[in-house]
């Protein structure tokens, strides 16, 4: 029977305990958390992959949403990223191209014959049903969705409902004994076969004690600071939208996450371009509020070289963090946990298991970080030194040479109408690229190979517009997200 000690009682700590307890009921699991060190207190927007983790644990959202101030999320909206005054969505789910007898490239053909088409129209055409709900503030649980919730409350809910066998110890870890095999004891009395470091940015076990080096991603992702606060609804019907809104401002961007009882918001910025006090002023100006109580957060952006070293595994912020533009914090937690339980399922562990876990986590993390960096690389904003830095930076070594080909794969799929390249590992790149006016093909290349056919492209455009119109008609009777949530929360 393996004995595991988790250190840290933030959402990473309790998600780890819940996962291990549910999959390895015979393990002896303890979680030690400090009474004095607070959890990070942010992390309210999730990704749809959380559903798979919930399925594994048998968690139903109807059970927890009302305990965590929860709401539903169908998309991420990016406002003012490409240029001021423009926006686009990256909706969850799959492009509805089969249903519309269309291909992803069709929208670009529409843009070529009607150049005034807004970039935001891409998501409306390619995900007509999902976007019809989003545009009208409606919700139906059949749609691909994730959640907006209070991550601290979610951790506590897991503790009370899914960690009943985990021994909970309130104690500050002050003394750590170690030898060549890793950690020997915590506070001279707690001993385990495996220690899981969930101590947040502190990274007490992996970083501080085992001194595993940290690979900073600050060149690729310069944002390292945030101000976070909570605001009340003024007009809940209008403001409780089923998406996270990210708005680019002077030195970074502001998140807007509508929960059931209030809105979570914060300004993520780079200390290389603005000091904290000026950033707070910019945040207040953006919110049009002077009287907010915001808390300052310093972020360590990057990943430790290895996450599983000797008898220590880091999960959550203690392992690493990408700035939160694509809501990847909790995503990293559950995806790393999936890889950990796969390796632990063999009953014991060896260097093979450590190497396998480290390789898989690093690969996922790095490709996600590169995806986030593309949101800046494709921008054409030039109104502040921060955005001019993005505009003039040489990204080539970081991004253009992506092995998983976020950009190469996208470009490679340019010409053939029958290529459904969303099956390639481009993830959500096509949405971000369309929103930023970066096309997989161009009119000159199409003309050169005789692929430009104006009448055909006009027919294709009509087909796309019809599917948009039909989607709006089909969802007329669906309930608003507010009404849907009232049934859960009241
Ligand atoms: C600005 C910002 C915005 C974010 N937004 C999102 C988002 O929208 N979506 C998302 O998915 N993620 C987001 N994240 C990430 C998310 O907040 C974290 O991934 C998640 O909350 C997990 O945090 P954690 O449990 O690793 O760390 P923490 O919440 O910091 O918990 C650390 C725990 O370790 C304990 N501890 C520390 N030292 C000791 C010690 N010596 N002894 C005992 N216990 C100790 C503390 O008491 C605490 O319980 C965001 C992060 C930041 C910084």
């Amino acid at each position: 029977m393996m004995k595991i000690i988790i250190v840290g009682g933030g959402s990473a700590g309790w998600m780890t305990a819940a996962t291990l307890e549910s999959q390895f009921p015979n393990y002896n699991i303890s979680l030690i958390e400090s009474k004095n060190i607070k959890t990070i207190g942010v992390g309210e927007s999730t990704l749809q992959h959380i559903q798979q983790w919930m399925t594994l644990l048998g968690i139903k959202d109807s059970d927890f949403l009302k305990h965590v101030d929860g709401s539903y999320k169908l998309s991420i909206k990016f406002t003012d990223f490409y240029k001021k005054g423009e926006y686009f969505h990256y909706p969850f789910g799959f492009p509805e191209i089969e249903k519309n007898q269309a291909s992803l490239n069709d929208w670009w053909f529409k843009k070529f014959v009607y150049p005034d088409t807004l970039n935001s129209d891409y998501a409306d055409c390619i995900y007509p049903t999902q976007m019809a709900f989003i545009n009208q503030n409606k919700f139906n649980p059949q749609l691909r969705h994730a959640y907006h919730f209070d991550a601290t409350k979610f951790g506590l809910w897991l503790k009370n409902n899914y960690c009943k066998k985990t021994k909970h110890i309130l104690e500050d870890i002050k003394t750590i004994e170690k030898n060549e095999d890793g950690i020997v004891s915590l506070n001279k009395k707690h001993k385990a076969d495996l220690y899981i470091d969930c101590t947040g940015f502190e990274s007490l076990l992996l970083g501080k004690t085992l001194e595993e080096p940290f690979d900073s991603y600050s060149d690729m992702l310069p944002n390292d600071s945030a101000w976070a606060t909570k605001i009340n609804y003024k007009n809940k019907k209008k403001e409780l939208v089923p998406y996270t809104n990210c708005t680019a401002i002077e030195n970074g961007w502001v998140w807007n996450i509508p929960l059931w009882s209030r809105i979570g918001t914060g300004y993520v910025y780079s200390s290389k371009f603005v000091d904290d006090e000026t950033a707070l002023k910019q945040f207040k100006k953006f919110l049009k509020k002077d009287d907010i109580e915001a808390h300052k957060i310093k972020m360590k952006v990057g990943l430790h070289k290895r996450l599983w070293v000797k008898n220590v595994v880091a999960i959550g912020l203690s392992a690493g963090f990408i700035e939160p533009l694509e809501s990847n914090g909790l995503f990293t937690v559950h995806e790393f946990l999936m890889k950990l339980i796969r390796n632990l399922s063999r009953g014991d562990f060896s260097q093979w298991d450590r190497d396998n876990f480290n390789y898989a986590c690093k690969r996922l993390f790095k490709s996600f970080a590169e995806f986030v960096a593309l949101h800046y690389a494709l921008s054409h904003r030039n109104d502040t030194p921060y955005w001019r830095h993005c505009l003039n930076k040489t990204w080539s070594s970081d991004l253009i040479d992506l092995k998983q080909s976020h950009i190469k794969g996208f470009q490679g799929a340019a010409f053939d109408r029958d290529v459904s390249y969303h099956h390639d590992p481009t993830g959500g790149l096509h949405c971000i690229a369309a929103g930023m006016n970066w096309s997989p093909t161009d009119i000159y290349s199409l003309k050169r190979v005789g692929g430009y056919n104006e009448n055909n492209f006009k027919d294709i455009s009509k087909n796309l517009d019809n599917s948009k119109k039909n989607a709006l008609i089909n969802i007329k009777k669906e309930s608003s997200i507010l009404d849907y949530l009232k049934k859960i929360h009241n």
Side-chain angles (χ1 to χ4, degrees), residues 30-76:
S30 305
L31 183 147
I32 306 175
E33 71 172 310
S34 161
K35 259 199 276 184
N36 307 308
I37 305 168
K38 283 192 176 157
T39 60
I40 189 97
V42 282
E44 299 171 336
S45 186
T46 59
L47 292 179
Q48 55 184 331
H49 312 75
I50 197 170
Q51 306 264 7
Q52 294 165 4
W53 174 78
M54 284 167 43
T55 303
L56 176 77
L57 270 69
I59 298 176
K60 289 201 206 94
D61 59 27
S62 51
D63 293 337
F64 73 77
L65 273 184
K66 66 171 173 238
H67 301 285
V68 299
D69 207 5
S71 179
Y72 291 103
K73 171 180 173 189
L74 300 175
S75 167
I76 307 178

Side-chain angles (χ1 to χ4, degrees), residues 7-13 32-34 37-46 151 171-173 198-202 204 226 255 257 268 297 299 315-318 321 324 327-331 333:
V7 184
S11 31
I32 306 175
E33 71 172 310
S34 161
I37 305 168
K38 283 192 176 157
T39 60
I40 189 97
V42 282
E44 299 171 336
S45 186
T46 59
E171 196 173 306
D172 278 30
I173 300 300
C198 295
T199 59
F201 285 129
E202 174 97 0
L204 183 66
W255 76 75
I257 304 178
V268 176
I297 302 168
M299 307 185 294
I315 298 284
L317 298 174
S318 60
F321 184 56
S327 324
N328 71 293
L330 296 178
F331 167 84
V333 172

Side-chain angles (χ1 to χ4, degrees), residues 113-272:
V113 282
Y114 301 113
D116 290 339
T117 304
L118 296 177
N119 295 329
S120 60
D121 182 64
Y122 178 82
D124 291 339
C125 288
I126 300 296
Y127 300 81
T129 308
Q130 190 93 354
M131 285 307 302
F133 276 87
I134 291 163
N135 288 330
Q136 299 197 19
N137 257 5
K138 295 189 174 205
F139 181 73
N140 180 314
Q142 307 285 318
L143 301 165
R144 285 273 176 157
H145 60 268
Y147 308 99
H148 291 146
F149 58 50
D150 181 322
T152 310
K153 287 187 178 163
F154 183 60
L156 291 176
W157 183 83
L158 286 174
K159 169 187 150 192
N160 294 330
N161 294 280
Y162 281 80
C163 306
K164 290 189 175 154
K165 279 168 46 192
T166 298
K167 191 171 168 200
H168 185 203
I169 303 164
L170 282 175
E171 196 173 306
D172 278 30
I173 300 300
K174 292 194 169 141
T175 317
I176 302 180
E177 240 186 305
K178 64 170 179 175
N179 66 15
E180 66 281 3
D181 297 323
I183 288 182
V184 177
S185 73
L186 304 174
N187 285 354
K188 298 198 173 140
K189 56 184 176 191
H190 305 293
K191 294 187 178 203
D193 303 305
L194 188 67
Y195 297 84
I196 309 209
D197 185 347
C198 295
T199 59
F201 285 129
E202 174 97 0
S203 197
L204 183 66
L205 308 188
L206 182 76
K208 290 220 165 111
T209 306
L210 297 192
E211 298 175 62
E212 182 62 14
F214 187 77
D215 280 340
S216 169
Y217 284 28
S218 66
D219 183 46
M220 180 162 55
L221 298 168
N223 293 341
D224 58 3
S225 309
W227 283 105
T229 191
K230 296 164 184 176
I231 53 176
N232 294 325
Y233 283 110
K234 273 198 223 145
N235 178 347
K236 196 163 177 177
K237 195 165 184 233
K238 217 169 123 198
E239 292 168 319
L240 203 168
V241 290
Y243 55 82
T244 300
N245 190 11
C246 305
T247 306
I249 65 169
E250 289 96 321
N251 293 290
W253 60 277
V254 173
W255 76 75
N256 181 282
I257 304 178
L259 272 64
W260 170 244
S261 72
R262 47 103 185 154
I263 297 171
T265 180
Y267 180 19
V268 176
Y269 56 94
S270 168
S271 64
K272 288 189 194 118

Side-chain angles (χ1 to χ4, degrees), residues 370-429:
E370 286 159 344
F371 175 55
V372 172
L374 280 168
H375 296 59
Y376 300 94
L378 294 174
S379 172
H380 274 179
R381 277 187 68 150
N382 64 359
D383 51 310
T384 63
Y386 174 92
W387 288 105
R388 281 195 290 279
H389 167 79
C390 296
L391 198 66
N392 295 321
K393 181 176 161 56
T394 300
W395 297 91
S396 54
S397 58
D398 300 333
L399 301 180
I400 293 171
D401 193 29
L402 290 184
K403 299 231 167 24
Q404 288 205 74
S405 75
H406 285 308
I407 279 185
K408 269 192 204 156
F410 183 64
Q411 283 177 322
F415 300 105
D416 189 345
R417 187 163 184 266
D418 297 324
V419 171
S420 65
Y421 58 88
H422 67 288
H423 296 303
D424 287 357
T426 48
L429 171 71

